[in-house]
Amino acid sequence: MPTTRPTVVLVHDGCSDATSWFGVIAELHRRGLSVLALANPLRGLPHDAAYLSSVLATVDGPVVLVGHSYGGAVITEAGAAPNVVSLVYVAAYLPDVGESHDALASRFTPSPLVPRLRRTRFATDATDDWANELTVPMECFRPFVAADLDQEVAQVLAALQRPVAERVLTDAPTTAAWRTRPSWALVTGADRALPPAIQRFTAQRAGATTLELPEASHAVAVSRPTTVAELIHDAARVGRDPAGKAASGRRGRSR
């Protein structure tokens, strides 16, 4: 059982940046929690997870690790760090070892957003090695990512987005931290970027304490910051039993 209040470490999605957590951070501060919003590099799962691991090593005391969408894969890979006491998945997927986003997506109705993503070339290093990166076209951002936000806010988020390497769709974790850490998941029922069925299936498979918001979009951290913060606060209050699963909290709850 942690003896000090944990630090909440937030990991954003691809085609996003750390400002998407603005409202959640404010709510967590009101609850007396320390927060670090990571600048996810978005260069591929091995790279991004290694970066997160290096950041976690600098945090004194216990950590509640939170991932949004692709950030869920990053915290799955890096979340077995010794100071991580719980995991929170926000409109995210919880992959198993060797299971990529595309492998999961092939088992469900595909996201209508993925074929609309804009692909551009970028130099991966100084040796003229090139790869693809993805962004959401401006006209697609609100209908597919932020349908429960007004147009002005959605346009700001679209302008703030950072490109993500296309390889994140096929990269697969080498470890699944949710197998050894208590986990929470928020499923966004009106999500047109990451299908709710994928979120729901992977959360249930992991035995995560699950909250479902039927009308929430993928941008739930912006549209419902209080609800997201409440779920994170729940994860921050709960200790671990010897098996590493949640010591309290209800499983499979919904609203």
Side-chain angles (χ1 to χ4, degrees), residues 66-79:
V66 184
H68 176 222
S69 194
Y70 161 65
V74 180
I75 71 170
T76 294
E77 177 76 352

PDB file of all heavy atoms in Angstrom, residues 66-79:
ATOM      1  N   VAL A  66      -1.615   7.136 -16.646  1.00  0.00           N
ATOM      2  CA  VAL A  66      -2.856   7.332 -17.388  1.00  0.00           C
ATOM      3  C   VAL A  66      -2.537   7.484 -18.871  1.00  0.00           C
ATOM      4  O   VAL A  66      -1.674   8.285 -19.249  1.00  0.00           O
ATOM      5  CB  VAL A  66      -3.596   8.598 -16.899  1.00  0.00           C
ATOM      6  CG1 VAL A  66      -4.947   8.750 -17.617  1.00  0.00           C
ATOM      7  CG2 VAL A  66      -3.778   8.565 -15.391  1.00  0.00           C
ATOM      8  N   GLY A  67      -3.236   6.726 -19.718  1.00  0.00           N
ATOM      9  CA  GLY A  67      -3.019   6.819 -21.156  1.00  0.00           C
ATOM     10  C   GLY A  67      -4.306   7.035 -21.916  1.00  0.00           C
ATOM     11  O   GLY A  67      -5.324   6.408 -21.626  1.00  0.00           O
ATOM     12  N   HIS A  68      -4.262   7.934 -22.894  1.00  0.00           N
ATOM     13  CA  HIS A  68      -5.398   8.196 -23.767  1.00  0.00           C
ATOM     14  C   HIS A  68      -5.150   7.552 -25.128  1.00  0.00           C
ATOM     15  O   HIS A  68      -4.123   7.795 -25.756  1.00  0.00           O
ATOM     16  CB  HIS A  68      -5.592   9.710 -23.937  1.00  0.00           C
ATOM     17  CG  HIS A  68      -6.682  10.081 -24.901  1.00  0.00           C
ATOM     18  ND1 HIS A  68      -6.546  11.098 -25.806  1.00  0.00           N
ATOM     19  CD2 HIS A  68      -7.915   9.553 -25.104  1.00  0.00           C
ATOM     20  CE1 HIS A  68      -7.655  11.206 -26.531  1.00  0.00           C
ATOM     21  NE2 HIS A  68      -8.494  10.268 -26.118  1.00  0.00           N
ATOM     22  N   SER A  69      -6.067   6.707 -25.577  1.00  0.00           N
ATOM     23  CA  SER A  69      -6.035   6.072 -26.892  1.00  0.00           C
ATOM     24  C   SER A  69      -4.710   5.350 -27.127  1.00  0.00           C
ATOM     25  O   SER A  69      -4.391   4.411 -26.405  1.00  0.00           O
ATOM     26  CB  SER A  69      -6.311   7.117 -27.969  1.00  0.00           C
ATOM     27  OG  SER A  69      -6.600   6.500 -29.198  1.00  0.00           O
ATOM     28  N   TYR A  70      -3.887   5.776 -28.094  1.00  0.00           N
ATOM     29  CA  TYR A  70      -2.579   5.149 -28.295  1.00  0.00           C
ATOM     30  C   TYR A  70      -1.717   5.232 -27.039  1.00  0.00           C
ATOM     31  O   TYR A  70      -0.894   4.341 -26.776  1.00  0.00           O
ATOM     32  CB  TYR A  70      -1.860   5.797 -29.490  1.00  0.00           C
ATOM     33  CG  TYR A  70      -0.370   5.549 -29.500  1.00  0.00           C
ATOM     34  CD1 TYR A  70       0.123   4.255 -29.659  1.00  0.00           C
ATOM     35  CD2 TYR A  70       0.539   6.603 -29.336  1.00  0.00           C
ATOM     36  CE1 TYR A  70       1.497   4.019 -29.658  1.00  0.00           C
ATOM     37  CE2 TYR A  70       1.904   6.368 -29.333  1.00  0.00           C
ATOM     38  CZ  TYR A  70       2.382   5.081 -29.487  1.00  0.00           C
ATOM     39  OH  TYR A  70       3.733   4.843 -29.478  1.00  0.00           O
ATOM     40  N   GLY A  71      -1.927   6.262 -26.231  1.00  0.00           N
ATOM     41  CA  GLY A  71      -1.223   6.332 -24.952  1.00  0.00           C
ATOM     42  C   GLY A  71      -1.472   5.116 -24.084  1.00  0.00           C
ATOM     43  O   GLY A  71      -0.655   4.768 -23.230  1.00  0.00           O
ATOM     44  N   GLY A  72      -2.597   4.424 -24.302  1.00  0.00           N
ATOM     45  CA  GLY A  72      -2.866   3.187 -23.583  1.00  0.00           C
ATOM     46  C   GLY A  72      -1.866   2.103 -23.926  1.00  0.00           C
ATOM     47  O   GLY A  72      -1.466   1.315 -23.056  1.00  0.00           O
ATOM     48  N   ALA A  73      -1.446   2.031 -25.195  1.00  0.00           N
ATOM     49  CA  ALA A  73      -0.417   1.060 -25.573  1.00  0.00           C
ATOM     50  C   ALA A  73       0.921   1.415 -24.920  1.00  0.00           C
ATOM     51  O   ALA A  73       1.659   0.534 -24.474  1.00  0.00           O
ATOM     52  CB  ALA A  73      -0.269   1.022 -27.092  1.00  0.00           C
ATOM     53  N   VAL A  74       1.210   2.720 -24.842  1.00  0.00           N
ATOM     54  CA  VAL A  74       2.480   3.160 -24.256  1.00  0.00           C
ATOM     55  C   VAL A  74       2.537   2.807 -22.768  1.00  0.00           C
ATOM     56  O   VAL A  74       3.547   2.303 -22.280  1.00  0.00           O
ATOM     57  CB  VAL A  74       2.684   4.673 -24.477  1.00  0.00           C
ATOM     58  CG1 VAL A  74       4.005   5.129 -23.856  1.00  0.00           C
ATOM     59  CG2 VAL A  74       2.659   5.009 -25.968  1.00  0.00           C
ATOM     60  N   ILE A  75       1.438   3.040 -22.035  1.00  0.00           N
ATOM     61  CA  ILE A  75       1.469   2.725 -20.610  1.00  0.00           C
ATOM     62  C   ILE A  75       1.418   1.214 -20.381  1.00  0.00           C
ATOM     63  O   ILE A  75       1.901   0.715 -19.361  1.00  0.00           O
ATOM     64  CB  ILE A  75       0.357   3.446 -19.818  1.00  0.00           C
ATOM     65  CG1 ILE A  75      -1.035   2.902 -20.115  1.00  0.00           C
ATOM     66  CG2 ILE A  75       0.418   4.949 -20.052  1.00  0.00           C
ATOM     67  CD1 ILE A  75      -2.117   3.437 -19.173  1.00  0.00           C
ATOM     68  N   THR A  76       0.855   0.473 -21.318  1.00  0.00           N
ATOM     69  CA  THR A  76       0.876  -0.992 -21.225  1.00  0.00           C
ATOM     70  C   THR A  76       2.299  -1.513 -21.297  1.00  0.00           C
ATOM     71  O   THR A  76       2.681  -2.438 -20.569  1.00  0.00           O
ATOM     72  CB  THR A  76       0.023  -1.602 -22.347  1.00  0.00           C
ATOM     73  OG1 THR A  76      -1.353  -1.256 -22.126  1.00  0.00           O
ATOM     74  CG2 THR A  76       0.146  -3.107 -22.394  1.00  0.00           C
ATOM     75  N   GLU A  77       3.111  -0.926 -22.159  1.00  0.00           N
ATOM     76  CA  GLU A  77       4.490  -1.357 -22.333  1.00  0.00           C
ATOM     77  C   GLU A  77       5.386  -0.889 -21.187  1.00  0.00           C
ATOM     78  O   GLU A  77       6.257  -1.636 -20.725  1.00  0.00           O
ATOM     79  CB  GLU A  77       5.032  -0.828 -23.676  1.00  0.00           C
ATOM     80  CG  GLU A  77       6.483  -1.150 -23.960  1.00  0.00           C
ATOM     81  CD  GLU A  77       6.714  -2.599 -24.389  1.00  0.00           C
ATOM     82  OE1 GLU A  77       5.767  -3.422 -24.329  1.00  0.00           O
ATOM     83  OE2 GLU A  77       7.846  -2.921 -24.769  1.00  0.00           O
ATOM     84  N   ALA A  78       5.168   0.348 -20.712  1.00  0.00           N
ATOM     85  CA  ALA A  78       6.068   0.932 -19.697  1.00  0.00           C
ATOM     86  C   ALA A  78       5.543   0.804 -18.275  1.00  0.00           C
ATOM     87  O   ALA A  78       6.272   1.079 -17.323  1.00  0.00           O
ATOM     88  CB  ALA A  78       6.327   2.402 -20.012  1.00  0.00           C
ATOM     89  N   GLY A  79       4.300   0.365 -18.114  1.00  0.00           N
ATOM     90  CA  GLY A  79       3.645   0.437 -16.815  1.00  0.00           C
ATOM     91  C   GLY A  79       4.059  -0.589 -15.791  1.00  0.00           C
ATOM     92  O   GLY A  79       3.563  -0.563 -14.662  1.00  0.00           O
TER      93      GLY A  79
END
